[in-house]
mmCIF file of all heavy atoms in Angstrom:
data_model
loop_
_atom_site.group_PDB
_atom_site.id
_atom_site.type_symbol
_atom_site.label_atom_id
_atom_site.label_comp_id
_atom_site.label_asym_id
_atom_site.label_seq_id
_atom_site.Cartn_x
_atom_site.Cartn_y
_atom_site.Cartn_z
ATOM 1 N N MET S 1 48.832 202.423 90.215
ATOM 2 C CA MET S 1 48.832 201.170 90.820
ATOM 3 C C MET S 1 49.905 201.113 91.973
ATOM 4 O O MET S 1 49.649 200.571 93.027
ATOM 5 C CB MET S 1 49.190 200.076 89.804
ATOM 6 C CG MET S 1 49.276 198.654 90.339
ATOM 7 S SD MET S 1 49.610 197.441 89.139
ATOM 8 C CE MET S 1 51.365 197.387 89.223
ATOM 9 N N ALA S 2 51.068 201.736 91.701
ATOM 10 C CA ALA S 2 52.105 201.752 92.737
ATOM 11 C C ALA S 2 51.619 202.536 93.992
ATOM 12 O O ALA S 2 51.903 202.116 95.101
ATOM 13 C CB ALA S 2 53.385 202.339 92.162
ATOM 14 N N PHE S 3 50.925 203.621 93.791
ATOM 15 C CA PHE S 3 50.406 204.396 94.920
ATOM 16 C C PHE S 3 49.461 203.511 95.717
ATOM 17 O O PHE S 3 49.517 203.584 96.959
ATOM 18 C CB PHE S 3 49.690 205.674 94.412
ATOM 19 C CG PHE S 3 49.022 206.426 95.545
ATOM 20 C CD1 PHE S 3 49.751 207.162 96.393
ATOM 21 C CD2 PHE S 3 47.660 206.326 95.705
ATOM 22 C CE1 PHE S 3 49.143 207.845 97.496
ATOM 23 C CE2 PHE S 3 47.001 206.989 96.737
ATOM 24 C CZ PHE S 3 47.770 207.749 97.600
ATOM 25 N N THR S 4 48.545 202.826 95.088
ATOM 26 C CA THR S 4 47.621 201.961 95.813
ATOM 27 C C THR S 4 48.338 200.876 96.591
ATOM 28 O O THR S 4 48.001 200.607 97.759
ATOM 29 C CB THR S 4 46.620 201.308 94.825
ATOM 30 O OG1 THR S 4 45.966 202.353 94.058
ATOM 31 C CG2 THR S 4 45.605 200.507 95.511
ATOM 32 N N LEU S 5 49.341 200.271 95.981
ATOM 33 C CA LEU S 5 50.104 199.263 96.687
ATOM 34 C C LEU S 5 50.800 199.817 97.940
ATOM 35 O O LEU S 5 50.731 199.223 99.007
ATOM 36 C CB LEU S 5 51.149 198.631 95.692
ATOM 37 C CG LEU S 5 51.986 197.542 96.293
ATOM 38 C CD1 LEU S 5 51.106 196.332 96.742
ATOM 39 C CD2 LEU S 5 53.004 197.099 95.227
ATOM 40 N N VAL S 6 51.459 200.961 97.769
ATOM 41 C CA VAL S 6 52.120 201.611 98.890
ATOM 42 C C VAL S 6 51.160 202.004 99.954
ATOM 43 O O VAL S 6 51.389 201.760 101.153
ATOM 44 C CB VAL S 6 52.945 202.822 98.414
ATOM 45 C CG1 VAL S 6 53.493 203.610 99.552
ATOM 46 C CG2 VAL S 6 54.099 202.342 97.509
ATOM 47 N N ALA S 7 50.032 202.537 99.556
ATOM 48 C CA ALA S 7 49.029 202.989 100.555
ATOM 49 C C ALA S 7 48.467 201.768 101.339
ATOM 50 O O ALA S 7 48.289 201.825 102.520
ATOM 51 C CB ALA S 7 47.871 203.695 99.839
ATOM 52 N N ASN S 8 48.188 200.677 100.663
ATOM 53 C CA ASN S 8 47.709 199.498 101.309
ATOM 54 C C ASN S 8 48.737 198.848 102.264
ATOM 55 O O ASN S 8 48.393 198.426 103.349
ATOM 56 C CB ASN S 8 47.187 198.452 100.322
ATOM 57 C CG ASN S 8 45.919 198.853 99.670
ATOM 58 O OD1 ASN S 8 45.161 199.568 100.244
ATOM 59 N ND2 ASN S 8 45.653 198.349 98.487
ATOM 60 N N LEU S 9 49.946 198.827 101.792
ATOM 61 C CA LEU S 9 50.989 198.216 102.620
ATOM 62 C C LEU S 9 51.398 199.108 103.850
ATOM 63 O O LEU S 9 51.843 198.620 104.858
ATOM 64 C CB LEU S 9 52.264 197.938 101.791
ATOM 65 C CG LEU S 9 52.131 196.814 100.766
ATOM 66 C CD1 LEU S 9 53.402 196.675 99.974
ATOM 67 C CD2 LEU S 9 51.782 195.517 101.450
ATOM 68 N N SER S 10 51.159 200.378 103.742
ATOM 69 C CA SER S 10 51.493 201.293 104.835
ATOM 70 C C SER S 10 50.501 201.208 106.015
ATOM 71 O O SER S 10 50.769 201.694 107.098
ATOM 72 C CB SER S 10 51.529 202.740 104.323
ATOM 73 O OG SER S 10 50.283 203.187 103.983
ATOM 74 N N ARG S 11 49.347 200.612 105.776
ATOM 75 C CA ARG S 11 48.378 200.432 106.907
ATOM 76 C C ARG S 11 48.830 199.478 107.948
ATOM 77 O O ARG S 11 48.335 199.525 109.038
ATOM 78 C CB ARG S 11 46.993 200.043 106.290
ATOM 79 C CG ARG S 11 46.394 201.151 105.464
ATOM 80 C CD ARG S 11 45.009 200.788 105.061
ATOM 81 N NE ARG S 11 45.042 199.553 104.253
ATOM 82 C CZ ARG S 11 44.005 198.857 103.927
ATOM 83 N NH1 ARG S 11 42.832 199.236 104.315
ATOM 84 N NH2 ARG S 11 44.080 197.820 103.207
ATOM 85 N N GLY S 12 49.665 198.558 107.585
ATOM 86 C CA GLY S 12 50.163 197.606 108.637
ATOM 87 C C GLY S 12 49.506 196.247 108.602
ATOM 88 O O GLY S 12 50.213 195.256 108.758
ATOM 89 N N LEU S 13 48.226 196.153 108.396
ATOM 90 C CA LEU S 13 47.516 194.880 108.464
ATOM 91 C C LEU S 13 48.026 193.982 107.302
ATOM 92 O O LEU S 13 48.234 192.792 107.553
ATOM 93 C CB LEU S 13 46.026 195.115 108.343
ATOM 94 C CG LEU S 13 45.208 193.830 108.560
ATOM 95 C CD1 LEU S 13 45.484 193.213 109.931
ATOM 96 C CD2 LEU S 13 43.749 194.169 108.489
ATOM 97 N N PRO S 14 48.245 194.477 106.072
ATOM 98 C CA PRO S 14 48.771 193.623 105.045
ATOM 99 C C PRO S 14 50.161 193.057 105.382
ATOM 100 O O PRO S 14 50.487 191.873 105.036
ATOM 101 C CB PRO S 14 48.840 194.460 103.772
ATOM 102 C CG PRO S 14 47.766 195.542 104.023
ATOM 103 C CD PRO S 14 47.782 195.779 105.523
ATOM 104 N N ILE S 15 50.961 193.823 106.070
ATOM 105 C CA ILE S 15 52.307 193.382 106.457
ATOM 106 C C ILE S 15 52.159 192.183 107.430
ATOM 107 O O ILE S 15 52.885 191.181 107.328
ATOM 108 C CB ILE S 15 53.100 194.491 107.083
ATOM 109 C CG1 ILE S 15 53.299 195.655 106.051
ATOM 110 C CG2 ILE S 15 54.425 194.008 107.602
ATOM 111 C CD1 ILE S 15 54.055 195.271 104.850
ATOM 112 N N VAL S 16 51.237 192.314 108.384
ATOM 113 C CA VAL S 16 50.986 191.271 109.361
ATOM 114 C C VAL S 16 50.501 189.986 108.602
ATOM 115 O O VAL S 16 50.941 188.885 108.950
ATOM 116 C CB VAL S 16 49.971 191.687 110.418
ATOM 117 C CG1 VAL S 16 49.595 190.552 111.333
ATOM 118 C CG2 VAL S 16 50.543 192.852 111.234
ATOM 119 N N SER S 17 49.612 190.157 107.659
ATOM 120 C CA SER S 17 49.093 189.060 106.916
ATOM 121 C C SER S 17 50.200 188.371 106.079
ATOM 122 O O SER S 17 50.260 187.138 106.048
ATOM 123 C CB SER S 17 47.969 189.577 105.994
ATOM 124 O OG SER S 17 47.486 188.527 105.229
ATOM 125 N N LEU S 18 51.052 189.173 105.425
ATOM 126 C CA LEU S 18 52.146 188.540 104.693
ATOM 127 C C LEU S 18 53.121 187.828 105.630
ATOM 128 O O LEU S 18 53.612 186.724 105.272
ATOM 129 C CB LEU S 18 52.901 189.685 103.884
ATOM 130 C CG LEU S 18 52.189 190.200 102.660
ATOM 131 C CD1 LEU S 18 52.954 191.411 102.122
ATOM 132 C CD2 LEU S 18 52.105 189.140 101.618
ATOM 133 N N ALA S 19 53.400 188.389 106.748
ATOM 134 C CA ALA S 19 54.302 187.734 107.701
ATOM 135 C C ALA S 19 53.710 186.434 108.187
ATOM 136 O O ALA S 19 54.399 185.391 108.306
ATOM 137 C CB ALA S 19 54.566 188.697 108.903
ATOM 138 N N ALA S 20 52.431 186.400 108.507
ATOM 139 C CA ALA S 20 51.766 185.165 108.924
ATOM 140 C C ALA S 20 51.787 184.124 107.845
ATOM 141 O O ALA S 20 52.060 182.943 108.073
ATOM 142 C CB ALA S 20 50.305 185.464 109.300
ATOM 143 N N ALA S 21 51.564 184.548 106.599
ATOM 144 C CA ALA S 21 51.592 183.629 105.427
ATOM 145 C C ALA S 21 53.033 183.036 105.273
ATOM 146 O O ALA S 21 53.168 181.819 105.028
ATOM 147 C CB ALA S 21 51.158 184.298 104.211
ATOM 148 N N LEU S 22 54.063 183.855 105.443
ATOM 149 C CA LEU S 22 55.434 183.381 105.346
ATOM 150 C C LEU S 22 55.734 182.426 106.496
ATOM 151 O O LEU S 22 56.423 181.398 106.228
ATOM 152 C CB LEU S 22 56.363 184.544 105.337
ATOM 153 C CG LEU S 22 56.422 185.369 104.063
ATOM 154 C CD1 LEU S 22 57.318 186.610 104.237
ATOM 155 C CD2 LEU S 22 56.946 184.512 102.915
ATOM 156 N N ILE S 23 55.277 182.653 107.665
ATOM 157 C CA ILE S 23 55.528 181.749 108.795
ATOM 158 C C ILE S 23 54.860 180.411 108.536
ATOM 159 O O ILE S 23 55.461 179.334 108.716
ATOM 160 C CB ILE S 23 55.049 182.403 110.096
ATOM 161 C CG1 ILE S 23 55.965 183.566 110.474
ATOM 162 C CG2 ILE S 23 55.006 181.349 111.216
ATOM 163 C CD1 ILE S 23 55.454 184.412 111.584
ATOM 164 N N ILE S 24 53.604 180.445 108.086
ATOM 165 C CA ILE S 24 52.880 179.199 107.798
ATOM 166 C C ILE S 24 53.577 178.443 106.696
ATOM 167 O O ILE S 24 53.745 177.226 106.751
ATOM 168 C CB ILE S 24 51.405 179.498 107.491
ATOM 169 C CG1 ILE S 24 50.718 179.996 108.722
ATOM 170 C CG2 ILE S 24 50.730 178.258 106.942
ATOM 171 C CD1 ILE S 24 49.318 180.582 108.487
ATOM 172 N N ALA S 25 53.999 179.124 105.614
ATOM 173 C CA ALA S 25 54.675 178.486 104.519
ATOM 174 C C ALA S 25 55.963 177.915 104.987
ATOM 175 O O ALA S 25 56.328 176.779 104.555
ATOM 176 C CB ALA S 25 54.869 179.519 103.410
ATOM 177 N N SER S 26 56.707 178.540 105.850
ATOM 178 C CA SER S 26 57.941 178.033 106.345
ATOM 179 C C SER S 26 57.750 176.760 107.131
ATOM 180 O O SER S 26 58.465 175.787 107.040
ATOM 181 C CB SER S 26 58.672 179.082 107.255
ATOM 182 O OG SER S 26 58.970 180.225 106.485
ATOM 183 N N ILE S 27 56.723 176.763 107.966
ATOM 184 C CA ILE S 27 56.428 175.599 108.793
ATOM 185 C C ILE S 27 56.108 174.407 107.881
ATOM 186 O O ILE S 27 56.505 173.249 108.097
ATOM 187 C CB ILE S 27 55.336 175.851 109.786
ATOM 188 C CG1 ILE S 27 55.791 176.851 110.855
ATOM 189 C CG2 ILE S 27 54.738 174.607 110.451
ATOM 190 C CD1 ILE S 27 54.667 177.399 111.748
ATOM 191 N N LEU S 28 55.224 174.649 106.864
ATOM 192 C CA LEU S 28 54.837 173.593 105.985
ATOM 193 C C LEU S 28 56.061 173.081 105.127
ATOM 194 O O LEU S 28 56.190 171.869 104.897
ATOM 195 C CB LEU S 28 53.755 174.042 105.033
ATOM 196 C CG LEU S 28 52.397 174.252 105.683
ATOM 197 C CD1 LEU S 28 51.413 174.889 104.701
ATOM 198 C CD2 LEU S 28 51.843 172.998 106.259
ATOM 199 N N TYR S 29 56.941 173.986 104.725
ATOM 200 C CA TYR S 29 58.088 173.586 103.977
ATOM 201 C C TYR S 29 59.012 172.707 104.823
ATOM 202 O O TYR S 29 59.514 171.689 104.378
ATOM 203 C CB TYR S 29 58.867 174.801 103.467
ATOM 204 C CG TYR S 29 60.165 174.414 102.783
ATOM 205 C CD1 TYR S 29 60.168 174.009 101.464
ATOM 206 C CD2 TYR S 29 61.389 174.479 103.452
ATOM 207 C CE1 TYR S 29 61.286 173.616 100.839
ATOM 208 C CE2 TYR S 29 62.562 174.128 102.823
ATOM 209 C CZ TYR S 29 62.504 173.674 101.478
ATOM 210 O OH TYR S 29 63.669 173.303 100.868
ATOM 211 N N ILE S 30 59.195 173.082 106.086
ATOM 212 C CA ILE S 30 60.091 172.317 106.986
ATOM 213 C C ILE S 30 59.494 170.941 107.180
ATOM 214 O O ILE S 30 60.209 169.909 107.139
ATOM 215 C CB ILE S 30 60.294 173.085 108.339
ATOM 216 C CG1 ILE S 30 61.174 174.296 108.113
ATOM 217 C CG2 ILE S 30 60.927 172.162 109.380
ATOM 218 C CD1 ILE S 30 61.197 175.241 109.242
ATOM 219 N N ALA S 31 58.171 170.886 107.385
ATOM 220 C CA ALA S 31 57.494 169.548 107.574
ATOM 221 C C ALA S 31 57.665 168.720 106.332
ATOM 222 O O ALA S 31 57.922 167.443 106.394
ATOM 223 C CB ALA S 31 56.031 169.748 107.911
ATOM 224 N N TRP S 32 57.576 169.310 105.135
ATOM 225 C CA TRP S 32 57.702 168.621 103.890
ATOM 226 C C TRP S 32 59.116 168.047 103.704
ATOM 227 O O TRP S 32 59.364 166.931 103.307
ATOM 228 C CB TRP S 32 57.285 169.565 102.744
ATOM 229 C CG TRP S 32 57.509 169.039 101.371
ATOM 230 C CD1 TRP S 32 56.848 168.022 100.750
ATOM 231 C CD2 TRP S 32 58.467 169.476 100.445
ATOM 232 N NE1 TRP S 32 57.321 167.821 99.478
ATOM 233 C CE2 TRP S 32 58.311 168.698 99.232
ATOM 234 C CE3 TRP S 32 59.442 170.449 100.436
ATOM 235 C CZ2 TRP S 32 59.097 168.882 98.127
ATOM 236 C CZ3 TRP S 32 60.258 170.662 99.305
ATOM 237 C CH2 TRP S 32 60.079 169.889 98.175
ATOM 238 N N ALA S 33 60.088 168.920 104.037
ATOM 239 C CA ALA S 33 61.505 168.559 103.888
ATOM 240 C C ALA S 33 61.830 167.402 104.848
ATOM 241 O O ALA S 33 62.570 166.470 104.543
ATOM 242 C CB ALA S 33 62.407 169.727 104.113
ATOM 243 N N ARG S 34 61.317 167.488 106.103
ATOM 244 C CA ARG S 34 61.602 166.438 107.067
ATOM 245 C C ARG S 34 60.929 165.119 106.696
ATOM 246 O O ARG S 34 61.407 164.051 107.045
ATOM 247 C CB ARG S 34 61.102 166.823 108.439
ATOM 248 C CG ARG S 34 61.971 167.851 109.108
ATOM 249 C CD ARG S 34 61.575 168.128 110.515
ATOM 250 N NE ARG S 34 62.411 169.133 111.097
ATOM 251 C CZ ARG S 34 62.226 169.764 112.212
ATOM 252 N NH1 ARG S 34 61.081 169.507 112.854
ATOM 253 N NH2 ARG S 34 63.027 170.646 112.685
ATOM 254 N N ALA S 35 59.900 165.139 105.884
ATOM 255 C CA ALA S 35 59.209 163.917 105.438
ATOM 256 C C ALA S 35 59.898 163.313 104.315
ATOM 257 O O ALA S 35 59.405 162.320 103.696
ATOM 258 C CB ALA S 35 57.738 164.241 105.092
ATOM 259 N N GLY S 36 61.008 163.876 103.856
ATOM 260 C CA GLY S 36 61.799 163.287 102.731
ATOM 261 C C GLY S 36 61.319 163.842 101.396
ATOM 262 O O GLY S 36 61.588 163.260 100.368
ATOM 263 N N ARG S 37 60.633 164.971 101.420
ATOM 264 C CA ARG S 37 60.204 165.647 100.212
ATOM 265 C C ARG S 37 59.372 164.738 99.279
ATOM 266 O O ARG S 37 59.700 164.533 98.113
ATOM 267 C CB ARG S 37 61.339 166.292 99.497
ATOM 268 C CG ARG S 37 62.054 167.300 100.311
ATOM 269 C CD ARG S 37 63.120 167.996 99.563
ATOM 270 N NE ARG S 37 63.758 168.984 100.460
ATOM 271 C CZ ARG S 37 64.662 169.798 100.138
ATOM 272 N NH1 ARG S 37 65.177 169.740 98.880
ATOM 273 N NH2 ARG S 37 65.165 170.617 101.020
ATOM 274 N N PRO S 38 58.276 164.158 99.772
ATOM 275 C CA PRO S 38 57.441 163.319 98.911
ATOM 276 C C PRO S 38 56.906 164.108 97.749
ATOM 277 O O PRO S 38 56.592 165.304 97.860
ATOM 278 C CB PRO S 38 56.344 162.843 99.869
ATOM 279 C CG PRO S 38 56.323 163.824 100.974
ATOM 280 C CD PRO S 38 57.728 164.357 101.089
ATOM 281 N N ARG S 39 56.784 163.461 96.611
ATOM 282 C CA ARG S 39 56.411 164.180 95.401
ATOM 283 C C ARG S 39 54.857 164.298 95.209
ATOM 284 O O ARG S 39 54.416 165.180 94.574
ATOM 285 C CB ARG S 39 56.957 163.464 94.202
ATOM 286 C CG ARG S 39 58.476 163.410 94.226
ATOM 287 C CD ARG S 39 59.023 164.144 93.058
ATOM 288 N NE ARG S 39 60.468 164.063 93.139
ATOM 289 C CZ ARG S 39 61.202 165.103 92.924
ATOM 290 N NH1 ARG S 39 60.698 166.250 92.594
ATOM 291 N NH2 ARG S 39 62.512 165.013 93.019
ATOM 292 N N GLY S 40 54.101 163.381 95.729
ATOM 293 C CA GLY S 40 52.670 163.495 95.546
ATOM 294 C C GLY S 40 51.970 162.157 95.682
ATOM 295 O O GLY S 40 52.603 161.126 95.902
ATOM 296 N N ILE S 41 50.706 162.197 95.622
ATOM 297 C CA ILE S 41 49.863 161.016 95.820
ATOM 298 C C ILE S 41 50.136 159.936 94.745
ATOM 299 O O ILE S 41 50.047 158.762 95.013
ATOM 300 C CB ILE S 41 48.347 161.391 95.888
ATOM 301 C CG1 ILE S 41 47.553 160.249 96.463
ATOM 302 C CG2 ILE S 41 47.828 161.832 94.580
ATOM 303 C CD1 ILE S 41 47.855 159.912 97.899
ATOM 304 N N ARG S 42 50.406 160.296 93.486
ATOM 305 C CA ARG S 42 50.668 159.313 92.456
ATOM 306 C C ARG S 42 51.891 158.482 92.791
ATOM 307 O O ARG S 42 51.850 157.272 92.665
ATOM 308 C CB ARG S 42 50.924 160.009 91.115
ATOM 309 C CG ARG S 42 49.706 160.535 90.488
ATOM 310 C CD ARG S 42 49.993 160.993 89.083
ATOM 311 N NE ARG S 42 49.029 161.951 88.669
ATOM 312 C CZ ARG S 42 49.141 162.759 87.628
ATOM 313 N NH1 ARG S 42 50.266 162.737 86.966
ATOM 314 N NH2 ARG S 42 48.223 163.602 87.323
ATOM 315 N N ASN S 43 52.952 159.103 93.281
ATOM 316 C CA ASN S 43 54.171 158.388 93.608
ATOM 317 C C ASN S 43 53.942 157.539 94.826
ATOM 318 O O ASN S 43 54.509 156.391 94.942
ATOM 319 C CB ASN S 43 55.336 159.340 93.833
ATOM 320 C CG ASN S 43 55.812 159.951 92.556
ATOM 321 O OD1 ASN S 43 55.288 159.635 91.475
ATOM 322 N ND2 ASN S 43 56.767 160.866 92.649
ATOM 323 N N ILE S 44 53.151 157.964 95.786
ATOM 324 C CA ILE S 44 52.842 157.174 96.961
ATOM 325 C C ILE S 44 52.148 155.950 96.573
ATOM 326 O O ILE S 44 52.476 154.823 97.043
ATOM 327 C CB ILE S 44 52.079 158.000 97.987
ATOM 328 C CG1 ILE S 44 52.945 159.131 98.555
ATOM 329 C CG2 ILE S 44 51.534 157.108 99.146
ATOM 330 C CD1 ILE S 44 52.204 160.122 99.395
ATOM 331 N N ALA S 45 51.176 156.044 95.697
ATOM 332 C CA ALA S 45 50.386 154.895 95.241
ATOM 333 C C ALA S 45 51.290 153.949 94.466
ATOM 334 O O ALA S 45 51.236 152.718 94.639
ATOM 335 C CB ALA S 45 49.221 155.332 94.363
ATOM 336 N N ALA S 46 52.163 154.471 93.577
ATOM 337 C CA ALA S 46 53.062 153.656 92.814
ATOM 338 C C ALA S 46 54.061 152.901 93.745
ATOM 339 O O ALA S 46 54.358 151.712 93.519
ATOM 340 C CB ALA S 46 53.822 154.475 91.791
ATOM 341 N N GLU S 47 54.586 153.577 94.725
ATOM 342 C CA GLU S 47 55.512 152.968 95.662
ATOM 343 C C GLU S 47 54.805 151.881 96.507
ATOM 344 O O GLU S 47 55.405 150.815 96.768
ATOM 345 C CB GLU S 47 56.142 153.986 96.573
ATOM 346 C CG GLU S 47 57.080 154.896 95.854
ATOM 347 C CD GLU S 47 57.581 156.007 96.781
ATOM 348 O OE1 GLU S 47 57.270 156.027 97.977
ATOM 349 O OE2 GLU S 47 58.351 156.894 96.246
ATOM 350 N N ALA S 48 53.581 152.119 96.866
ATOM 351 C CA ALA S 48 52.851 151.122 97.646
ATOM 352 C C ALA S 48 52.553 149.883 96.804
ATOM 353 O O ALA S 48 52.660 148.733 97.316
ATOM 354 C CB ALA S 48 51.515 151.711 98.111
ATOM 355 N N GLU S 49 52.304 150.023 95.521
ATOM 356 C CA GLU S 49 52.073 148.848 94.653
ATOM 357 C C GLU S 49 53.369 148.134 94.351
ATOM 358 O O GLU S 49 53.319 146.921 94.155
ATOM 359 C CB GLU S 49 51.435 149.327 93.349
ATOM 360 C CG GLU S 49 50.014 149.789 93.517
ATOM 361 C CD GLU S 49 49.380 150.310 92.237
ATOM 362 O OE1 GLU S 49 50.086 150.264 91.166
ATOM 363 O OE2 GLU S 49 48.251 150.875 92.298
ATOM 364 N N ALA S 50 54.501 148.819 94.320
ATOM 365 C CA ALA S 50 55.769 148.197 93.968
ATOM 366 C C ALA S 50 56.351 147.439 95.169
ATOM 367 O O ALA S 50 57.150 146.490 94.946
ATOM 368 C CB ALA S 50 56.721 149.282 93.515
ATOM 369 N N GLU S 51 55.950 147.776 96.356
ATOM 370 C CA GLU S 51 56.531 147.047 97.505
ATOM 371 C C GLU S 51 55.998 145.649 97.588
ATOM 372 O O GLU S 51 54.827 145.423 97.402
ATOM 373 C CB GLU S 51 56.164 147.782 98.807
ATOM 374 C CG GLU S 51 56.804 149.133 98.955
ATOM 375 C CD GLU S 51 56.429 149.844 100.237
ATOM 376 O OE1 GLU S 51 55.735 149.222 101.048
ATOM 377 O OE2 GLU S 51 56.752 151.039 100.354
ATOM 378 N N PRO S 52 56.878 144.706 97.864
ATOM 379 C CA PRO S 52 56.392 143.321 98.004
ATOM 380 C C PRO S 52 55.606 143.207 99.290
ATOM 381 O O PRO S 52 55.934 143.734 100.331
ATOM 382 C CB PRO S 52 57.696 142.496 98.136
ATOM 383 C CG PRO S 52 58.754 143.472 98.495
ATOM 384 C CD PRO S 52 58.344 144.833 98.030
ATOM 385 N N GLY S 53 54.491 142.540 99.204
ATOM 386 C CA GLY S 53 53.697 142.438 100.452
ATOM 387 C C GLY S 53 52.660 141.463 100.342
ATOM 388 O O GLY S 53 51.918 140.930 100.908
#
């Protein structure tokens, strides 16, 4: 298994794919953090119902 992993990673394309995935994940994390780290749709719905309006 280790040989297959090393052989696949040595080709270069998997490294590019991993780098692209890390860049995309970083961008999404930064956007999430700037949005105040919302927890999910349930909390958004609960907050919307709790607001006087």
